[in-house]
């Protein structure tokens, strides 16, 4: 019995690709881009002596550059998630990064496996592009999750500021200094845009569309309606904060209830692949007798399609809108 180490090598190379991408990002931007810093990135840039208009221009460029480059080849699959993650890499840098890690993966496959050249090229590209997409997607999920958690507290701070007599634009400026990133920098950009003459309701609406968050849309609509028809904005935002917090609790509860079904779907789709890997490790010649059968390759594609369909169906069943 001969054990094949190739599946393990593939997994290690993919992990190495993710570590390499994260390492390049930290080397390029250091801890100044960290989402969990107590001092938000905008204030840190201002404290270093950078002019306010230059900070605003830099942050707006980072926020908009990815969606403005959707027409670039191979980049359209990354643009939306990179925008929500506020990746400081430019689109060109991300494309070069995909090419670079694809080459690294190809070299790793060449050194660690005996696969054919075509297989190594295809797997290298898949690992390079897939690794960068996985990294960007994880950054986007983490950032949006933090914003969702911070939003109720931020709205409540706005309410307190309004009740002591501050105008809404000043309330936003105060909030962006009191909370942490990532929401602090987003609100700081809105405060700066407002000070330079942009309508704050319009700025909030643009932010909600860019991040594609329903709670932010509620905030933008509430502010826009109050600007047009008047009313007690503090009272409106207080009710909104309660609604957002209740929706967040309900979302967490739904997520906990559906966790079993989600993991069942992942297990049912991943078990055949895991079984295949174990079989190849224990007996690499197990499928030799059927490899030449005309139905073998179509059957493999059919099984793969069923596994993907299982994941999609289970995800649709547990994707409950809150």
């Amino acid at each position: 019995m001969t054990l094949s180490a190739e599946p393990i090598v593939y997994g290690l190379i993919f992990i190495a690709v993710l570590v390499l991408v994260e390492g390049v990002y930290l080397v390029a931007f250091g801890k100044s881009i960290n989402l969990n810093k107590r001092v938000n990135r905008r204030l840190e840039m201002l404290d270093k002596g950078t002019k306010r208009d230059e900070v605003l221009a830099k942050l707006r460029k980072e926020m908009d550059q990815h969606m403005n480059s959707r027409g670039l080849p191979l980049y359209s699959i990354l643009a939306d998630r990179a925008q929500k993650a506020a990746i400081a890499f430019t689109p060109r840098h991300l494309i070069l990064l995909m090419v670079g890690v694809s080459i690294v993966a190809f070299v790793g496959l060449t050194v660690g496996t005996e696969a054919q050249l075509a297989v190594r090229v295809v797997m290298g590209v898949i690992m390079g592009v897939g690794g960068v997409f996985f990294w960007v997607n994880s950054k986007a999920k983490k950032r949006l999750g933090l914003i969702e958690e911070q939003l109720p507290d931020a709205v409540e701070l706005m309410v307190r500021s309004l009740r002591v007599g501050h105008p809404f634009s000043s309330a936003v400026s105060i909030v962006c200094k009191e909370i942490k990133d990532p929401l602090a920098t987003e609100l700081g950009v809105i405060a700066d845009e407002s000070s330079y003459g942009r309508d704050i309701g319009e700025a909030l609406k643009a932010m909600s569309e860019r991040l594609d968050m329903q709670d932010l849309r509620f905030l933008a609509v509430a502010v826009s309606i109050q600007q047009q028809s008047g009313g007690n904005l503090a009272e409106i935002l207080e009710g909104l904060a309660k609604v957002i917090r209740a929706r967040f609790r309900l979302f967490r509860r739904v997520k906990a209830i559906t966790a079993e079904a989600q993991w069942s779907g992942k297990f049912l789709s991943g078990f055949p692949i895991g079984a295949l890997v174990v079989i190849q490790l224990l007996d690499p010649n197990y499928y030799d007798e059927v490899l030449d059968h005309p139905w073998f390759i179509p059957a493999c594609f059919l099984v793969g399609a069923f596994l993907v369909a299982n994941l999609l169906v289970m995800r649709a069943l547990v994707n409950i809108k809150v």
Side-chain angles (χ1 to χ4, degrees):
M1 180 177 64
T2 304
L3 296 178
S4 175
E6 287 196 5
I8 300 175
V9 173
Y10 280 96
L12 292 176
I13 291 175
F14 185 75
I15 294 173
V17 165
L18 296 178
V19 173
L20 176 62
V21 173
E22 182 71 19
V24 170
Y25 195 65
L26 290 177
V27 169
F29 300 102
K31 295 184 178 180
S32 64
I33 203 71
N34 195 341
L35 295 178
N36 298 319
K37 288 181 67 65
R38 293 185 178 275
V39 179
N40 69 66
R41 185 168 174 240
R42 171 178 164 272
L43 290 182
E44 191 173 52
M45 293 168 68
L46 291 172
D47 289 340
K48 291 180 179 179
T50 309
K51 295 181 180 179
R52 188 177 181 184
D53 57 339
E54 294 177 356
V55 172
L56 176 60
K58 179 177 177 60
L59 293 176
R60 288 190 64 182
K61 180 181 178 181
E62 290 180 2
M63 291 174 180
D64 298 333
Q65 63 183 346
H66 300 290
M67 293 306 290
N68 293 337
S69 303
R70 284 177 294 180
L72 292 176
L74 192 65
Y75 195 72
S76 58
I77 60 174
L78 273 178
D80 180 65
R81 305 307 295 174
Q83 174 179 280
K84 292 175 181 176
I87 298 296
F89 279 139
T90 64
R92 181 181 178 184
H93 289 157
L94 275 177
I95 292 175
L96 291 175
L97 187 62
M98 284 190 287
V99 173
V101 294
S102 296
I103 294 174
V104 171
F106 172 77
V107 173
L109 291 171
T110 301
V111 174
T113 69
E114 298 179 357
Q116 297 180 355
L117 177 62
V119 175
R120 282 181 277 138
V121 170
V122 172
M123 290 303 299
V125 172
I126 291 175
M127 287 185 179
V129 176
V132 173
F133 180 82
F134 180 85
W135 176 76
V136 171
N137 189 53
S138 64
K139 290 282 186 183
K141 287 183 176 179
K142 180 180 179 181
R143 185 168 185 268
L144 293 178
L146 288 172
I147 291 176
E148 287 179 345
E149 286 189 34
Q150 291 177 303
L151 189 58
D153 294 332
V155 175
E156 289 178 352
L157 282 174
M158 292 178 192
V159 172
R160 294 170 195 161
S161 299
L162 291 171
R163 283 181 172 166
V164 298
H166 293 290
F168 183 68
S169 57
S170 298
V172 174
S173 299
I174 293 171
V175 170
C176 72
K177 296 176 182 178
E178 295 295 330
I179 61 176
K180 297 187 294 184
D181 268 347
L183 186 57
T185 296
E186 291 283 352
L187 292 179
V189 170
I190 290 176
D192 289 342
E193 289 177 337
S194 175
S195 67
Y196 284 111
R198 187 179 187 183
D199 180 71
I200 197 164
E202 181 185 335
L204 282 170
K205 182 179 178 181
M207 173 184 169
S208 66
E209 294 299 328
R210 185 177 68 251
L211 297 178
D212 192 23
M213 290 181 59
Q214 191 64 39
D215 292 336
L216 284 174
R217 291 192 181 98
F218 292 156
L219 177 61
V221 169
V223 173
S224 298
I225 292 176
Q226 192 276 337
Q227 287 178 332
Q228 296 173 9
S229 60
N232 190 338
L233 184 57
E235 185 177 341
I236 295 172
L237 293 184
E238 183 180 19
L240 178 61
K242 293 179 181 178
V243 170
I244 294 174
R245 201 176 292 279
R247 288 183 75 251
F248 187 74
R249 284 200 302 266
L250 181 58
F251 177 76
R252 286 293 181 90
R253 185 176 180 183
V254 169
K255 187 175 181 180
I257 294 173
T258 58
E260 182 180 355
Q262 290 179 357
W263 281 105
S264 295
K266 293 176 182 178
F267 175 78
L268 291 174
S269 294
F271 180 77
I273 298 175
L276 176 63
V277 171
V278 171
I279 290 173
Q280 287 298 104
L281 288 173
L282 297 179
D283 188 3
N285 302 318
Y286 186 80
Y287 292 103
D288 287 354
E289 296 181 1
V290 296
L291 283 177
D292 297 329
H293 195 281
W295 288 100
F296 181 76
I297 299 300
C300 291
F301 282 109
L302 182 62
V303 171
F306 276 126
L307 294 178
V308 173
N310 176 66
L311 275 177
L312 295 176
V313 171
M314 293 299 293
R315 183 175 181 179
L317 289 175
V318 300
N319 187 22
I320 300 173
K321 300 296 181 181
V322 179

